[in-house]
Amino acid sequence: MLQSTFRCVYRKTCTLLLVVLAAVCIQLYQAQALIGRCSCTSVKLKNVKGNKTDFKFLEKRPGCDRTEFIVTKINRDNTTQEICVDTDGAMFKAFSKCWQRIHKDESRKMECINRSRTE
């Protein structure tokens, strides 16, 4: 009887320990996604010529103390390229103004891209 009670307590303890361990692993995994370096380490351009297909603003975050602006463009060989754009340039200012105007709505990004083509 004592032995079966010990096994039951032991199983519950092991189960609880595994649950706690899993929770710690999940927290560490999520923390790694947040902590990092700036995405833009290479030379930044003030303007990107060519067919722009997407853009993203990366706000200040742990590990990076500046706002970053990355434009995705299609090259002539149909490959895509992400290019870091200088946040002091006119292109950044135009996209930023449009982004604010559309209230950061991801589904309306093309409005900003198409607008940049006409200007």
Side-chain angles (χ1 to χ4, degrees):
M1 177 82 171
L2 183 63
Q3 194 173 19
S4 65
T5 306
F6 179 72
R7 284 184 187 161
C8 181
V9 171
Y10 180 71
R11 284 184 184 162
K12 288 179 182 178
T13 304
C14 285
T15 303
L16 181 62
L17 182 62
L18 286 174
V19 169
V20 170
L21 182 62
V24 169
C25 288
I26 290 169
Q27 289 296 321
L28 288 174
Y29 177 77
Q30 290 175 345
Q32 270 199 334
L34 295 175
I35 299 172
R37 296 191 173 120
C38 294
S39 298
C40 294
T41 57
S42 62
V43 176
K44 298 181 227 172
L45 302 173
K46 291 205 183 262
N47 195 1
V48 175
K49 298 196 185 275
N51 190 12
K52 297 174 232 15
T53 59
D54 195 14
F55 66 91
K56 57 185 168 184
F57 288 94
L58 301 176
E59 300 293 334
K60 293 179 183 179
R61 58 199 179 281
C64 186
D65 62 348
R66 64 179 186 265
T67 300
E68 298 174 297
F69 178 56
I70 302 172
V71 174
T72 305
K73 76 170 209 159
I74 296 180
N75 296 321
R76 290 184 182 187
D77 59 353
N78 286 333
T79 59
T80 58
Q81 179 182 11
E82 287 189 341
I83 301 169
C84 294
V85 178
D86 188 0
T87 55
D88 292 327
M91 182 179 193
F92 168 78
K93 290 176 183 170
F95 271 91
S96 180
K97 184 177 179 181
C98 181
W99 188 237
Q100 296 299 322
R101 184 177 50 79
I102 64 171
H103 304 289
K104 300 180 181 182
D105 184 354
E106 291 279 334
S107 66
R108 295 178 62 191
K109 273 184 161 182
M110 287 308 292
E111 291 178 34
C112 298
I113 293 170
N114 291 336
R115 186 178 187 136
S116 74
R117 288 180 185 156
T118 59
E119 292 177 356

